[in-house]
Amino acid sequence: MIDTPRVGLFVCHCGSNIAGPVDVESVADYGLTLPGVVFVQRNLYSCSDAGLREIKEAIADQRLDRVVVAACTPRTHEPLFQDACREADLNPYLLEFVNIRDQCSWVHMREPEAATRKAQDLVRMGVAKARLLEPLEEQQVPVEPAALVIGGGMIGMTAALNLANRGFAVMLVEREAELGGMMLRLHTLYPTADDPRKVVQERIAEVQRHDGIEVCTSTVVSSVKGFVGNYEVTIEEMGPGQSNALETGDDSHPSVDAPTPRFATAGVIIVATGAQVLEPEGMYGYDGRRVITQLELEERLRTDQLDAGRVVMIQCVGARSAERPYCSRICCTTAIKNALEINDRCSGVEVYILYRDAETQGPRYEAIYGQAREAGVHFIRYDLGRPPEVTEERVLVYDEMLGATLSIPCDMVVLSTPLVAPSGARELAQMLKVPVDEYGFFLEAHVKLRPLDFATEGIYVAGTARWPSHLEETIVQAYGAAARASTILSKEHVTSSGIVARVNGHLCRGCGRCVEICEFGAPTLEEASSGMKGAHVNAVMCKGCGTCAAICPTGAMQACHFTDAQVAAMVRAALEPSVASLASGNPS
Amino acid sequence: MVEFQPQIVVFACNWCSYAGADLAGSSRMQYAPTTRVIRVMCSGRVTVGFILDTFRRGADGVLVTGCHPGDCHYISGNENAVVTVRKTVRLLQLLGLEVERLRLEWISAAEGARFARLMTEFTGQVRDLGPSLLGNGAEREA
Ligand code: FES
């Protein structure tokens, strides 16, 4: 760079989110003293229309060639500000984002001075890097107008149909031998008492009729490579008896059942692998006969095998406990629905629901709760510290309201257990390079700002793979994920990031270590006219992790946007004596 | 005497650890204000040079963070981080710096609490060691 950079610094108040603990004015004032900074502005909300307009105007009026935004997290907001730069004719990679909210004001709320000092340090680090930023080129990648939907339950099918109806080719992969998933095992749906099998069979028929959907049952996804617009997927059809087995094993005798790999390309992927019900092994004498799960009760109701005079249901079995603290959301309404059904069906049967908190959110579900009360279903509240006890013929429960232990004779005990992540969820997550939470549910990019999206572009999630939810909510998610997916599929090209590795040909001596370490096949060794070998990076295949730059022994490989010089500048800035110690004895 | 405030630099990968730090924030978990995060795309980007340079510039502690094994967004970048940190530990010994000043930790996007806890815990660990031989801590302590 010949010209000295002209850095514009924009400090966001984020309402009081930042400006509460952090003295934003002093951060802005301090910013103006930093080398390279020619313009500083505070915004109430930098991400608002007004904030973005001010940034664009300042770029033009002040002839800014670097922009530093000190606000929230680049993980959600960087693209917005990059667009603003683009609109103001500034290369979007000349933006540096400084996080003074999630990693400063919010985590040092009770230490305003330390928070302000840290915000100043972070701004200094950001400006130091910004001065060395370079414009980067993005690549246009053609989009394969096809989707891979993983999971052939109600949600996967709904998403697949939705995309197919928009004219995109869909490959729907289900590891079981038939489509339908959990819905096939249920008896009725709340709040409408629809027959789930009827609902799901209709959907299966629609899917099978649709020319645009290729259904692959007894099939698992065994590898995923590539990137948004161009995922290269390998699927394997399981022979009989192999379905559900994710472990490959080394069963090497050549049989006709050996999985046959197939390859496909998909522009986007939707994960709709659902959930399974926790098997309460060893809890409350669970035996699958007299003590059964709510799901097993559904099956008995469906096949008309209910034979009991008194039924006791126990809620939150294996849920909202130390091991599994989450509420599975569907169990209260399910139990109440089934209690009502038993009540209607067999007169004289008494149903007890032992609960900790009855959660039937929303007007329609709450109405079912009211109905059950009226119908004479007994609700008894117990405490986690004094759980019910199941004996041969009775259930003993300490009733919190009465302050006494009740002994309820019963013929059947039904345990409401939570939805848990299905087997194989973690393996699938690793294959897709998307995160799951500690319970194995898929973790979206941002609960509020980017639900259904993964941080990895072009991969989406819907249904109970994401979190336990009611069917009507998960159907909405299926539409949502399909809509998100079609924002990619409807484009001819997607733009791949400019953050890639770059070779300095003068320094490269062709050792090939970058080729060895890269998981994506981006660098290759090519012969130059001199006959010497040198590394060359395919910018579309490069994902920009920078590992090749880290291992390059000569420094020929550079990770754009995270160059050695840029990182070193941040390090240096981080460790400069802080403002407060310079200004000590002179408190402002 | 004012308590010694160590200067700590944290290298965090974009996909897991930085996201974990964000989660600590959106959950309003409070932790020691002694750390300064430098975001890299992957923990595999961190080099021996980065870490040594950070110590040379006066850091009292360096924490390298990445996705848990098997979870790296780029498949195996974090394996490179293991190699890097191992090599650097040997160099720190040669330089006479306490190896406890350098740590490698895995923090997932869901582990906001773990991020917060590590910041405070590592600060305590480095504070107990006192200012780095190469740091400016001695002045800061006075
Ligand atoms: S992306 Fe987190 S360690 Fe590689």
Side-chain angles (χ1 to χ4, degrees):
Chain A
M1 292 286 149
I2 308 156
D3 297 330
T4 33
R6 296 178 59 81
V7 181
L9 168 67
F10 300 86
V11 189
C12 180
H13 286 235
C14 196
S16 62
N17 280 299
I18 294 170
V22 169
D23 178 353
V24 174
E25 198 175 338
S26 85
V27 173
D29 289 348
Y30 171 67
L32 201 51
T33 68
L34 293 169
V37 176
V38 296
F39 179 78
V40 178
Q41 189 167 49
R42 286 182 285 132
N43 313 106
L44 186 54
Y45 289 100
S46 300
C47 64
S48 66
D49 282 347
L52 293 169
R53 197 180 335 108
E54 283 170 358
I55 292 175
K56 285 185 267 185
E57 283 167 6
I59 292 174
D61 298 347
Q62 307 289 328
R63 290 176 294 114
L64 302 179
D65 56 16
R66 301 288 187 287
V67 171
V68 175
V69 175
C72 50
T73 170
R75 296 182 59 258
T76 53
H77 281 63
E78 194 171 51
L80 192 68
F81 293 99
Q82 287 184 325
D83 283 344
C85 291
R86 230 177 246 124
E87 284 163 28
D89 279 330
L90 187 68
N91 184 288
Y93 297 92
L94 296 174
L95 165 82
E96 178 63 13
F97 207 102
V98 178
N99 189 338
I100 58 169
R101 188 189 72 179
D102 307 50
Q103 298 183 14
C104 188
S105 68
W106 275 352
V107 291
H108 311 305
M109 292 165 77
R110 291 189 285 274
E111 300 169 272
E113 273 171 37
T116 302
R117 213 176 312 133
K118 178 167 168 181
Q120 290 171 333
D121 289 356
L122 294 173
V123 164
R124 186 172 65 234
M125 291 160 69
V127 168
K129 178 172 174 185
R131 297 174 61 212
L132 301 176
L133 287 176
E134 292 165 47
L136 301 175
E137 288 304 317
E138 294 174 336
Q139 309 287 325
Q140 298 284 311
V141 189
V143 173
E144 179 71 32
L148 168 72
V149 178
I150 309 173
M154 190 65 186
I155 304 313
M157 288 193 292
T158 304
L161 263 175
N162 198 283
L163 284 172
N165 286 339
R166 292 172 200 234
F168 302 116
V170 180
M171 178 181 259
L172 179 61
V173 172
E174 165 60 49
R175 69 177 173 185
E176 298 293 335
E178 57 176 342
L179 293 174
M182 183 72 91
M183 291 273 282
L184 294 172
R185 302 176 63 188
L186 304 181
H187 170 55
T188 48
L189 299 175
Y190 58 76
T192 48
D194 283 319
D195 177 356
R197 289 176 73 86
K198 195 160 160 272
V199 172
V200 81
Q201 297 293 3
E202 275 169 23
R203 186 120 309 170
I204 293 173
E206 275 179 277
V207 164
Q208 283 169 341
R209 270 202 309 271
H210 208 298
D211 292 341
I213 304 177
E214 183 188 355
V215 176
C216 307
T217 47
S218 302
T219 300
V220 294
V221 175
S222 58
S223 104
V224 176
K225 293 202 183 92
F227 40 83
V228 56
N230 276 282
Y231 285 107
E232 290 161 32
V233 185
T234 313
I235 58 169
E236 286 179 17
E237 191 174 341
M238 299 287 126
Q242 271 180 308
S243 105
N244 231 342
L246 279 138
E247 61 279 6
T248 37
D250 61 345
D251 196 1
S252 46
H253 51 84
S255 79
V256 277
D257 293 339
T260 5
R262 256 187 67 193
F263 307 98
T265 318
V268 295
I269 299 174
I270 294 180
V271 177
T273 45
Q276 66 192 39
V277 168
L278 176 76
E279 292 252 346
E281 281 314 328
M283 301 171 90
Y284 297 108
Y286 170 71
D287 58 8
R289 291 189 301 277
R290 191 181 75 103
V291 184
I292 61 175
T293 62
Q294 215 42 264
L295 184 62
E296 286 160 340
L297 173 63
E298 295 265 342
E299 274 165 350
R300 286 195 196 183
L301 287 169
R302 180 161 60 76
T303 50
D304 236 340
Q305 287 175 359
L306 188 75
D307 173 26
R310 275 190 192 209
V311 179
V312 175
M313 297 183 179
I314 305 177
Q315 299 302 104
C316 300
V317 173
R320 301 173 67 220
S321 57
E323 180 196 356
R324 214 172 283 101
Y326 63 87
C327 164
S328 175
R329 196 164 166 83
I330 61 163
C331 331
C332 283
T333 320
T334 304
I336 294 170
K337 176 207 74 166
N338 288 342
L340 271 171
E341 165 95 19
I342 295 172
N343 229 299
D344 283 357
R345 210 193 268 200
C346 347
S347 63
V349 176
E350 281 196 76
V351 187
Y352 291 78
I353 297 183
L354 315 186
Y355 71 102
R356 280 166 53 203
D357 295 289
E359 303 276 359
T360 50
Q361 312 92 339
R364 278 173 300 165
Y365 298 170
E366 187 68 12
I368 305 182
Y369 175 65
Q371 273 173 38
R373 284 245 177 225
E374 247 163 58
V377 174
H378 305 279
F379 286 86
I380 297 168
R381 182 167 189 166
Y382 76 93
D383 185 76
L384 179 61
R386 287 176 93 157
E389 207 182 302
V390 177
T391 68
E392 286 288 301
E393 278 137 19
R394 313 178 152 262
V395 174
L396 306 174
V397 59
Y398 179 78
D399 184 330
E400 276 210 311
M401 313 274 182
L402 278 180
T405 300
L406 302 179
S407 164
I408 312 165
C410 67
D411 313 305
M412 183 191 272
V413 180
V414 182
L415 307 179
S416 290
T417 55
L419 289 180
V420 294
S423 65
R426 273 177 208 281
E427 292 78 355
L428 181 63
Q430 290 197 348
M431 212 184 286
L432 296 169
K433 294 295 144 209
V434 299
V436 287
D437 68 13
E438 60 239 85
Y439 313 110
F441 291 110
F442 286 90
L443 202 64
E444 56 215 342
H446 190 285
V447 186
K448 294 195 183 76
L449 298 174
R450 287 184 66 193
L452 312 183
D453 281 19
F454 285 110
T456 308
E457 252 199 301
I459 310 186
Y460 309 91
V461 63
T464 49
R466 171 179 172 264
W467 200 245
S469 308
H470 304 296
L471 180 64
E472 53 184 279
E473 294 166 341
T474 52
I475 299 264
V476 173
Q477 291 166 18
Y479 285 128
R484 293 291 299 140
S486 54
T487 61
I488 301 282
L489 294 179
S490 56
K491 286 186 201 137
E492 270 176 27
H493 293 94
V494 284
T495 319
S496 80
S497 169
I499 301 177
V500 291
R502 191 168 58 197
V503 189
N504 177 340
H506 299 296
L507 296 177
C508 179
R509 54 167 204 236
C511 70
R513 293 195 57 195
C514 50
V515 181
E516 279 162 32
I517 204 156
C518 182
E519 297 275 5
F520 309 101
T524 43
L525 282 187
E526 251 138 67
E527 209 156 305
S529 49
S530 60
M532 294 264 292
K533 284 205 163 166
H536 173 87
V537 176
N538 178 327
V540 172
M541 291 166 87
C542 176
K543 299 210 174 196
C545 68
T547 303
C548 57
I551 62 142
C552 175
T554 65
M557 192 66 91
Q558 270 304 330
C560 295
H561 217 59
F562 295 90
T563 63
D564 290 352
Q566 288 163 355
V567 174
M570 286 188 92
V571 166
R572 204 178 313 127
L575 296 164
E576 265 172 33
S578 73
V579 201
S581 59
L582 288 178
S584 64
N586 181 20
S588 53
Chain B
M1 195 182 87
V2 196
E3 196 182 18
F4 163 55
Q5 291 299 334
Q7 286 189 304
I8 294 170
V9 171
V10 179
F11 291 98
C13 82
N14 183 62
W15 301 94
C16 283
S17 307
Y18 195 91
D22 282 347
L23 181 62
S26 48
S27 319
R28 309 296 195 276
M29 289 162 179
Q30 304 297 300
Y31 57 80
T34 39
T35 56
R36 303 291 178 261
V37 170
I38 295 180
R39 181 170 69 109
V40 284
M41 292 313 280
C42 175
S43 65
R45 172 69 187 104
V46 177
T47 65
V48 175
F50 286 3
I51 304 173
L52 288 183
D53 185 42
T54 310
F55 280 117
R56 183 176 67 102
R57 299 273 172 201
D60 300 300
V62 175
L63 186 59
V64 179
T65 60
C67 312
H68 285 267
D71 289 352
C72 169
H73 190 73
Y74 306 100
I75 303 172
S76 64
N78 50 5
E79 291 169 20
N80 191 53
V82 175
V83 176
T84 301
V85 168
R86 228 178 254 154
K87 274 191 211 158
T88 317
V89 162
R90 284 206 298 272
L91 293 169
L92 292 187
Q93 282 167 331
L94 279 177
L95 290 170
L97 271 183
E98 299 89 338
V99 292
E100 294 81 9
R101 294 189 187 277
L102 172 61
R103 251 165 90 170
L104 172 65
E105 293 287 348
W106 310 131
I107 303 168
S108 82
E111 292 176 329
R114 181 173 156 74
F115 183 92
R117 193 172 0 95
L118 270 169
M119 292 308 109
T120 302
E121 183 199 306
F122 188 55
T123 298
Q125 175 179 332
V126 174
R127 186 178 283 141
D128 289 347
L129 291 169
S132 155
L133 191 73
L134 305 174
N136 334 307
E139 297 144 43
R140 272 177 285 130
E141 195 178 25

